[in-house]
Amino acid sequence: MEINGLPLHVLVVHAAVVLTPIAGLAAIAYALVPRWRDWLRWPVAVAVVAAVGAVWVAFLSGGDFRDTDRFAGATGEFATKLQDHEDLGGILRWVASGFGVLTLAAVALHDRTGVVRILLSAVVVATAVATVVLTVMTGDSGAQAVWGT
């Protein structure tokens, strides 16, 4: 799919690369700073849904983009870099989805305290960090495939 002659993937990856770290950092703040929790509850929920949606659209549009004639003759180092990017994108979509589900669960269980709050906070922080790291790795691998020397 294209928008004004540009492949959708090329456009939507920017949303994923920007929104996902913002959602991750907001979720970490939500989990670790109790006095901000009430204020961050709904912005985190919206940010996580938008980020996970952007990751999925980037993944799906990337598959369509990869299937175009533009990449039919990809060989050598370029093909290897492209495959690395595709593999990381496949992992990212599931890690981001897990992050989204766990963060939305933490938001839904907002009033919980004690061990439940500690466990929710721990899994939100862990999945947020994993999602942000994978987002950076996936974006970098795509940029290296296209722009690297």
Side-chain angles (χ1 to χ4, degrees):
M1 177 180 212
E2 292 184 352
I3 296 176
N4 202 24
L6 288 173
L8 178 61
H9 183 70
V10 174
L11 299 170
V12 78
V13 294
H14 294 90
V17 167
V18 171
L19 294 175
T20 306
I22 289 171
L25 294 174
I28 290 169
Y30 173 82
L32 297 181
V33 185
R35 68 175 181 227
W36 293 358
R37 207 167 279 145
D38 286 336
W39 182 78
L40 282 174
R41 181 181 187 186
W42 296 114
V44 164
V46 170
V48 165
V49 169
V52 173
V55 166
W56 271 93
V57 172
F59 175 79
L60 295 171
S61 65
D64 289 344
F65 190 37
R66 176 81 155 98
D67 292 340
T68 63
D69 292 341
R70 183 175 304 189
F71 299 107
T75 59
E77 187 178 353
F78 175 66
T80 301
K81 288 180 177 183
L82 202 56
Q83 187 61 49
D84 290 344
H85 176 62
E86 193 172 358
D87 292 344
L88 285 168
I91 296 167
L92 174 61
R93 70 182 163 148
W94 295 116
V95 172
S97 296
F99 163 63
V101 167
L102 291 168
T103 302
L104 291 175
V107 167
L109 299 171
H110 178 73
D111 294 329
R112 301 295 172 119
T113 58
V115 174
V116 173
R117 174 52 51 201
I118 291 168
L119 289 175
L120 285 170
S121 295
V123 296
V124 165
V125 169
T127 57
V129 168
T131 300
V132 170
V133 167
L134 273 168
T135 299
V136 171
M137 290 173 61
T138 304
D140 181 63
S141 69
Q144 289 297 325
V146 173
W147 303 106
T149 55

Short mmCIF file of all heavy atoms in Angstrom, two decimals, residues 7-40:
data_model
loop_
_atom_site.label_atom_id
_atom_site.label_comp_id
_atom_site.label_asym_id
_atom_site.label_seq_id
_atom_site.Cartn_x
_atom_site.Cartn_y
_atom_site.Cartn_z
N PRO A 7 5.61 4.16 0.11
CA PRO A 7 5.12 2.94 0.75
C PRO A 7 4.65 3.23 2.18
O PRO A 7 5.29 4.01 2.90
CB PRO A 7 6.34 2.02 0.76
CG PRO A 7 7.24 2.56 -0.29
CD PRO A 7 7.00 4.04 -0.34
N LEU A 8 3.55 2.62 2.58
CA LEU A 8 3.00 2.84 3.92
C LEU A 8 4.03 2.53 5.00
O LEU A 8 4.14 3.25 6.00
CB LEU A 8 1.75 1.97 4.12
CG LEU A 8 1.08 2.05 5.49
CD1 LEU A 8 0.60 3.48 5.77
CD2 LEU A 8 -0.07 1.06 5.58
N HIS A 9 4.83 1.49 4.80
CA HIS A 9 5.83 1.11 5.80
C HIS A 9 6.80 2.26 6.09
O HIS A 9 7.12 2.53 7.24
CB HIS A 9 6.59 -0.13 5.35
CG HIS A 9 7.59 -0.62 6.35
ND1 HIS A 9 7.20 -1.20 7.53
CD2 HIS A 9 8.94 -0.60 6.36
CE1 HIS A 9 8.28 -1.53 8.23
NE2 HIS A 9 9.34 -1.17 7.54
N VAL A 10 7.25 2.91 5.05
CA VAL A 10 8.20 4.01 5.20
C VAL A 10 7.60 5.14 6.04
O VAL A 10 8.31 5.81 6.79
CB VAL A 10 8.64 4.52 3.81
CG1 VAL A 10 9.51 5.75 3.91
CG2 VAL A 10 9.36 3.41 3.04
N LEU A 11 6.30 5.33 5.95
CA LEU A 11 5.64 6.39 6.71
C LEU A 11 5.35 5.96 8.15
O LEU A 11 5.59 6.70 9.09
CB LEU A 11 4.34 6.79 6.01
CG LEU A 11 4.51 7.36 4.60
CD1 LEU A 11 3.16 7.50 3.93
CD2 LEU A 11 5.24 8.69 4.65
N VAL A 12 4.85 4.75 8.32
CA VAL A 12 4.36 4.34 9.64
C VAL A 12 5.49 3.95 10.60
O VAL A 12 5.30 4.02 11.81
CB VAL A 12 3.31 3.21 9.51
CG1 VAL A 12 3.96 1.88 9.25
CG2 VAL A 12 2.43 3.15 10.72
N VAL A 13 6.65 3.58 10.07
CA VAL A 13 7.74 3.23 10.99
C VAL A 13 8.10 4.42 11.88
O VAL A 13 8.52 4.24 13.02
CB VAL A 13 9.00 2.71 10.27
CG1 VAL A 13 8.73 1.39 9.61
CG2 VAL A 13 9.58 3.71 9.31
N HIS A 14 7.92 5.61 11.38
CA HIS A 14 8.23 6.79 12.19
C HIS A 14 7.30 6.88 13.40
O HIS A 14 7.73 7.25 14.49
CB HIS A 14 8.17 8.05 11.33
CG HIS A 14 9.25 8.08 10.29
ND1 HIS A 14 9.06 7.55 9.04
CD2 HIS A 14 10.52 8.53 10.34
CE1 HIS A 14 10.17 7.69 8.35
NE2 HIS A 14 11.08 8.27 9.12
N ALA A 15 6.04 6.53 13.22
CA ALA A 15 5.11 6.51 14.34
C ALA A 15 5.54 5.47 15.37
O ALA A 15 5.55 5.74 16.57
CB ALA A 15 3.69 6.23 13.86
N ALA A 16 5.92 4.29 14.90
CA ALA A 16 6.36 3.23 15.82
C ALA A 16 7.63 3.62 16.57
O ALA A 16 7.74 3.42 17.78
CB ALA A 16 6.57 1.92 15.06
N VAL A 17 8.57 4.21 15.85
CA VAL A 17 9.86 4.56 16.46
C VAL A 17 9.72 5.72 17.45
O VAL A 17 10.48 5.79 18.41
CB VAL A 17 10.89 4.88 15.35
CG1 VAL A 17 12.13 5.54 15.90
CG2 VAL A 17 11.26 3.62 14.60
N VAL A 18 8.75 6.58 17.25
CA VAL A 18 8.55 7.70 18.18
C VAL A 18 7.60 7.32 19.32
O VAL A 18 7.90 7.55 20.49
CB VAL A 18 8.02 8.94 17.42
CG1 VAL A 18 7.59 10.03 18.38
CG2 VAL A 18 9.07 9.47 16.46
N LEU A 19 6.46 6.72 18.98
CA LEU A 19 5.45 6.45 20.00
C LEU A 19 5.84 5.34 20.97
O LEU A 19 5.50 5.41 22.16
CB LEU A 19 4.12 6.09 19.34
CG LEU A 19 3.44 7.19 18.54
CD1 LEU A 19 2.19 6.65 17.85
CD2 LEU A 19 3.09 8.37 19.45
N THR A 20 6.56 4.34 20.51
CA THR A 20 6.88 3.21 21.38
C THR A 20 7.81 3.59 22.52
O THR A 20 7.52 3.27 23.68
CB THR A 20 7.43 2.03 20.55
OG1 THR A 20 6.48 1.73 19.51
CG2 THR A 20 7.63 0.80 21.41
N PRO A 21 8.91 4.31 22.28
CA PRO A 21 9.71 4.75 23.43
C PRO A 21 8.97 5.71 24.36
O PRO A 21 9.14 5.65 25.58
CB PRO A 21 10.92 5.44 22.78
CG PRO A 21 11.03 4.80 21.44
CD PRO A 21 9.61 4.56 21.01
N ILE A 22 8.13 6.58 23.79
CA ILE A 22 7.34 7.47 24.65
C ILE A 22 6.42 6.65 25.54
O ILE A 22 6.33 6.89 26.75
CB ILE A 22 6.54 8.49 23.80
CG1 ILE A 22 7.49 9.50 23.17
CG2 ILE A 22 5.48 9.19 24.63
CD1 ILE A 22 6.84 10.40 22.14
N ALA A 23 5.73 5.68 24.97
CA ALA A 23 4.84 4.81 25.76
C ALA A 23 5.63 4.03 26.81
O ALA A 23 5.19 3.89 27.95
CB ALA A 23 4.07 3.86 24.85
N GLY A 24 6.80 3.54 26.42
CA GLY A 24 7.63 2.79 27.35
C GLY A 24 8.09 3.64 28.52
O GLY A 24 8.00 3.22 29.69
N LEU A 25 8.56 4.84 28.24
CA LEU A 25 9.02 5.72 29.31
C LEU A 25 7.86 6.16 30.20
O LEU A 25 8.01 6.23 31.43
CB LEU A 25 9.75 6.93 28.73
CG LEU A 25 11.07 6.61 28.02
CD1 LEU A 25 11.62 7.86 27.35
CD2 LEU A 25 12.08 6.04 29.00
N ALA A 26 6.72 6.44 29.61
CA ALA A 26 5.54 6.82 30.40
C ALA A 26 5.09 5.66 31.29
O ALA A 26 4.73 5.87 32.46
CB ALA A 26 4.41 7.27 29.47
N ALA A 27 5.12 4.44 30.75
CA ALA A 27 4.72 3.28 31.55
C ALA A 27 5.70 3.03 32.70
O ALA A 27 5.29 2.67 33.80
CB ALA A 27 4.63 2.04 30.65
N ILE A 28 6.98 3.25 32.45
CA ILE A 28 7.97 3.11 33.52
C ILE A 28 7.71 4.14 34.62
O ILE A 28 7.74 3.82 35.81
CB ILE A 28 9.41 3.21 32.96
CG1 ILE A 28 9.72 1.97 32.12
CG2 ILE A 28 10.42 3.39 34.08
CD1 ILE A 28 10.99 2.07 31.30
N ALA A 29 7.44 5.37 34.22
CA ALA A 29 7.11 6.41 35.21
C ALA A 29 5.85 6.03 35.97
O ALA A 29 5.78 6.20 37.20
CB ALA A 29 6.95 7.76 34.52
N TYR A 30 4.85 5.54 35.27
CA TYR A 30 3.60 5.11 35.91
C TYR A 30 3.89 4.03 36.95
O TYR A 30 3.35 4.05 38.06
CB TYR A 30 2.63 4.58 34.86
CG TYR A 30 1.37 3.97 35.43
CD1 TYR A 30 0.31 4.77 35.82
CD2 TYR A 30 1.26 2.59 35.60
CE1 TYR A 30 -0.85 4.21 36.36
CE2 TYR A 30 0.12 2.03 36.13
CZ TYR A 30 -0.92 2.84 36.52
OH TYR A 30 -2.06 2.28 37.06
N ALA A 31 4.74 3.08 36.60
CA ALA A 31 5.02 1.96 37.49
C ALA A 31 5.89 2.35 38.69
O ALA A 31 5.70 1.83 39.79
CB ALA A 31 5.71 0.84 36.70
N LEU A 32 6.82 3.27 38.47
CA LEU A 32 7.82 3.54 39.51
C LEU A 32 7.60 4.80 40.35
O LEU A 32 8.24 4.94 41.39
CB LEU A 32 9.22 3.62 38.86
CG LEU A 32 9.71 2.34 38.20
CD1 LEU A 32 11.10 2.55 37.62
CD2 LEU A 32 9.70 1.17 39.17
N VAL A 33 6.73 5.69 39.90
CA VAL A 33 6.52 6.94 40.65
C VAL A 33 5.05 6.98 41.11
O VAL A 33 4.18 7.45 40.38
CB VAL A 33 6.86 8.18 39.79
CG1 VAL A 33 6.75 9.45 40.63
CG2 VAL A 33 8.26 8.05 39.18
N PRO A 34 4.79 6.48 42.32
CA PRO A 34 3.41 6.38 42.80
C PRO A 34 2.63 7.69 42.77
O PRO A 34 1.44 7.70 42.45
CB PRO A 34 3.57 5.87 44.23
CG PRO A 34 4.87 5.17 44.25
CD PRO A 34 5.74 5.92 43.27
N ARG A 35 3.27 8.80 43.06
CA ARG A 35 2.52 10.07 43.09
C ARG A 35 2.10 10.53 41.70
O ARG A 35 1.23 11.38 41.56
CB ARG A 35 3.32 11.15 43.83
CG ARG A 35 4.55 11.59 43.10
CD ARG A 35 5.23 12.74 43.82
NE ARG A 35 6.38 13.11 43.03
CZ ARG A 35 7.58 13.30 43.51
NH1 ARG A 35 7.78 13.23 44.79
NH2 ARG A 35 8.57 13.61 42.71
N TRP A 36 2.72 10.01 40.65
CA TRP A 36 2.33 10.34 39.28
C TRP A 36 1.29 9.37 38.73
O TRP A 36 0.74 9.59 37.65
CB TRP A 36 3.53 10.32 38.36
CG TRP A 36 4.56 11.38 38.61
CD1 TRP A 36 4.52 12.38 39.54
CD2 TRP A 36 5.79 11.52 37.92
NE1 TRP A 36 5.65 13.14 39.47
CE2 TRP A 36 6.46 12.63 38.47
CE3 TRP A 36 6.41 10.82 36.89
CZ2 TRP A 36 7.70 13.06 38.03
CZ3 TRP A 36 7.65 11.24 36.45
CH2 TRP A 36 8.28 12.36 37.01
N ARG A 37 1.07 8.27 39.42
CA ARG A 37 0.25 7.18 38.88
C ARG A 37 -1.15 7.63 38.49
O ARG A 37 -1.63 7.28 37.42
CB ARG A 37 0.20 6.04 39.90
CG ARG A 37 -0.01 4.71 39.25
CD ARG A 37 0.23 3.57 40.19
NE ARG A 37 1.66 3.31 40.28
CZ ARG A 37 2.29 2.92 41.38
NH1 ARG A 37 1.61 2.72 42.48
NH2 ARG A 37 3.58 2.71 41.37
N ASP A 38 -1.83 8.38 39.34
CA ASP A 38 -3.18 8.84 39.01
C ASP A 38 -3.18 9.72 37.77
O ASP A 38 -4.04 9.60 36.90
CB ASP A 38 -3.81 9.61 40.18
CG ASP A 38 -4.22 8.71 41.32
OD1 ASP A 38 -4.46 7.51 41.07
OD2 ASP A 38 -4.30 9.20 42.45
N TRP A 39 -2.22 10.60 37.69
CA TRP A 39 -2.13 11.53 36.57
C TRP A 39 -1.77 10.83 35.25
O TRP A 39 -2.25 11.20 34.18
CB TRP A 39 -1.11 12.63 36.90
CG TRP A 39 -0.99 13.66 35.84
CD1 TRP A 39 -1.84 14.69 35.60
CD2 TRP A 39 0.04 13.75 34.85
NE1 TRP A 39 -1.40 15.42 34.52
CE2 TRP A 39 -0.24 14.87 34.04
CE3 TRP A 39 1.18 13.00 34.56
CZ2 TRP A 39 0.57 15.25 32.98
CZ3 TRP A 39 1.98 13.39 33.50
CH2 TRP A 39 1.66 14.50 32.74
N LEU A 40 -0.92 9.81 35.34
CA LEU A 40 -0.45 9.12 34.13
C LEU A 40 -1.34 7.97 33.66
O LEU A 40 -1.14 7.46 32.56
CB LEU A 40 0.96 8.57 34.37
CG LEU A 40 2.11 9.55 34.30
CD1 LEU A 40 3.41 8.88 34.71
CD2 LEU A 40 2.24 10.13 32.90
#
